[in-house]
Amino acid sequence: TSSLTEEEVFKDAQNSMLFLNRIYGHLLPVVPQTGNKGMRWRGTDALLEVTTDNGSTNLATSGAYFNFNSGAWTSNSSTFSTSDWEQSWQAVRACNLFLSHIDNVPNDPEYNFDATVREVRKGEAIFLKAFNYSEMVKQFGGLPIIDKAYGITDELTAPRNSFDETVDYIVKLCDDAAKLLPLTHPDVDYGRGTKGAALALKARMLIYAASPLWNNPQKPEDSPFRGKYDPQKWVTAAKASEAVMNLNYYMLHDNISDLFITRTNPELIFVHMNQVCAYMTSISVPNKLYPPGAFGKSGCNQVTYNMIREYEIIKDGKAYSIDDPESGYNPNDPYQNRDPRFYRDCMFNGYHFQGKIVQLGEAAPGASTPAHNPSEQSPYYTHVYSIKFADLDLVVNWDARNPTRGTHQNYPYIRYAEVLLNYAEAMNEVYGPEVDGLGNGKTALWAVNEVRTRAQYPDRPEYKGLKGGMPPIESGLSKDALREKIRHERRVEFSFEEHRFWDLRRWMIDPNTLTNIQAQVPIWQADGTVRYEIRTIQTRYFDKKMYRMPIPEKQLYTNPNLVQNPGYPLSTEAAE
């Protein structure tokens, strides 16, 4: 706090632990607590997904996310990458400061602080440092490796280390943290870093390091912009995910409908702890579906037709793309028999919600305006809401920004489904779909099917009484074919969890496939019927330089030994 000196904080166990808690509070709380607190865009309720082909927003046609999508965004812009850089480095400094003092903090029996707790808290700080580094490396690449808390008189001249050096450093931090951390904490400490969190973060970093953007055979030399090309990086990544699986502690939660609204479940590995709140529910569900008096903002995160078409149709125990003539897809009744995750993730025209049939869309001449359209509209409105983090049983009839009512909802930074899909991706790249390359009986196909077949229809009205769920991916696919299936599963499983933004970059997806954003618009006719029109709602800007985020330009002037990423002004290299 501002009223205490550094010496006063670290001569006291309680103050020292409050300092560590503040570093946790500094982590990005994607699901907000109150008002606009906590969203990545720092001032709107739009998630990062609205700058991918998965999402759109009906917020005002201005602001950081709009500038990002339209190309009016530079290394000078005030956007999420600027604040992520600044806030992550603040957290790294705080971790270094804590670690420089923790060995000298006196034991305090009254506060239950002893040598054992000291080692655990040290492990947490090392893990938090690794986590903040990992958030930066997937955006920017190689980073300065800083092991001390810089003071006001220190020269800020550290150069960027290479990408491989930075990843190796994060991996070492994760290994060091895992040696000190327990597998679990007492309930009062739920949300703190654990051994599993450290090992899962390591596995995530190694998957990124093996991916095409960072492991490019066309540019095989290690630099701040990418690592040295080595296909064996996939083996290392697979073994790191296997290590998490071998803890035998985590498993997939069996009910997809409450996965994101339960405080604890066996799938959650590392989460951001939130207050009890209703705010994310309120901004997800159209406010006209609630009694008068509910908070008036809704529809801030919407699902594009680009994403909707990814949810397959289940027919006679098989899964089909909507483009497959065998699927039975009806373009004028498009939301029947879809992947169970569709009904959890998306609220659409005809959705069953708290005894109501949701009415959304546009009115043709002579037709009435659909009953549940919110008052705020924009050209980028898709008429399908992202409700993945909403509590569908909660009746919001007050100002939902009040943090004392609602759902004890946490945001999953890492969950076990990611470990399995990381493992599937790495195993497929090095061994193919069905080779037991690590001798553990677990192939790439097995891992992806674990996640896929978990998606079963719960016994809830919004699932329309459907039974069963997703069938497994069939045997006999090529490596290339299974790669596409794994990427599809990641896109569906992690929609609106901030994976798509980074996945399409690390895979170097063709920018031309990411710019045409479509909506499937319900148009109500005068006779009460509805037809659906697919239309382009936005043509976005995407340049290959945007595979990486730019280091904020002012930082380049503060530290002349930094180098800018490819394709941006002041860079030494063109984009891929």
Side-chain angles (χ1 to χ4, degrees), residues 217-491:
Q218 304 303 315
K219 296 188 175 182
E221 298 303 318
D222 190 22
S223 77
F225 313 135
R226 64 193 66 80
K228 181 178 181 180
Y229 177 68
D230 182 358
Q232 289 299 110
K233 288 180 177 179
W234 289 113
V235 179
T236 306
K239 290 180 177 178
S241 291
E242 180 192 34
V244 183
M245 295 155 57
N246 287 345
L247 293 173
N248 295 316
Y249 184 76
Y250 303 104
M251 64 182 67
L252 296 173
H253 186 56
D254 60 358
N255 185 346
I256 64 169
S257 69
D258 65 8
L259 173 58
F260 301 102
I261 58 172
T262 55
R263 181 174 182 266
T264 63
N265 68 61
E267 185 166 341
L268 301 179
I269 298 177
F270 183 52
V271 299
H272 187 95
M273 300 297 292
N274 270 349
Q275 296 166 300
V276 170
C277 69
Y279 191 74
M280 194 63 186
T281 298
S282 176
I283 68 172
S284 299
V285 175
N287 59 342
K288 290 184 180 178
L289 287 165
Y290 291 124
F295 183 58
K297 187 181 289 188
S298 60
C300 303
N301 296 281
Q302 297 186 17
V303 188
T304 63
Y305 177 66
N306 310 58
M307 180 65 215
I308 291 170
R309 59 183 293 114
E310 293 292 313
Y311 293 97
E312 295 167 284
I313 292 175
I314 302 176
K315 179 183 176 185
D316 300 328
K318 296 182 179 180
Y320 298 89
S321 161
I322 65 171
D323 297 323
D324 191 324
E326 296 296 317
S327 69
Y329 176 70
N330 180 355
N332 285 314
D333 191 12
Y335 305 135
Q336 299 300 317
N337 304 313
R338 304 297 278 266
D339 182 325
R341 292 168 289 192
F342 176 68
Y343 304 103
R344 177 196 64 193
D345 299 347
C346 305
M347 179 174 284
F348 47 85
N349 184 58
Y351 194 83
H352 293 248
F353 177 74
Q354 296 186 1
K356 307 178 185 71
I357 303 298
V358 177
Q359 298 181 21
L360 300 168
E362 296 180 358
S368 300
T369 300
H372 303 123
N373 281 356
S375 56
E376 64 271 16
Q377 300 268 338
S378 87
Y380 312 120
Y381 196 72
T382 72
H383 303 277
V384 178
Y385 293 82
S386 171
I387 56 168
K388 190 170 194 174
F389 301 108
D391 182 347
L392 299 182
D393 294 324
L394 186 64
V395 178
V396 180
N397 58 1
W398 70 93
D399 187 338
R401 292 166 295 184
N402 184 334
T404 62
R405 304 170 69 180
T407 305
H408 201 146
Q409 186 175 58
N410 304 315
Y411 178 78
Y413 289 127
I414 308 174
R415 56 187 179 97
Y416 189 56
E418 181 190 347
V419 174
L420 289 169
L421 290 180
N422 287 347
Y423 179 81
E425 182 177 347
M427 288 291 288
N428 184 58
E429 292 300 328
V430 70
Y431 299 117
E434 298 178 73
V435 175
D436 179 13
L438 298 185
N440 59 16
K442 297 177 172 64
T443 65
L445 183 64
W446 168 85
V448 69
N449 277 335
E450 285 289 291
V451 176
R452 179 177 170 87
T453 59
R454 184 270 299 270
Q456 301 289 308
Y457 296 110
D459 184 18
R460 289 185 58 88
E462 57 265 25
Y463 292 83
K464 300 186 173 185
L466 294 167
K467 303 297 182 183
M470 293 302 292
I473 296 169
E474 67 277 12
S475 179
L477 296 180
S478 68
K479 182 202 306 193
D480 290 347
L482 188 64
R483 180 188 299 122
E484 293 308 308
K485 294 286 188 181
I486 292 169
R487 291 182 178 186
H488 163 83
E489 284 302 313
R490 284 187 69 95
R491 187 173 181 183

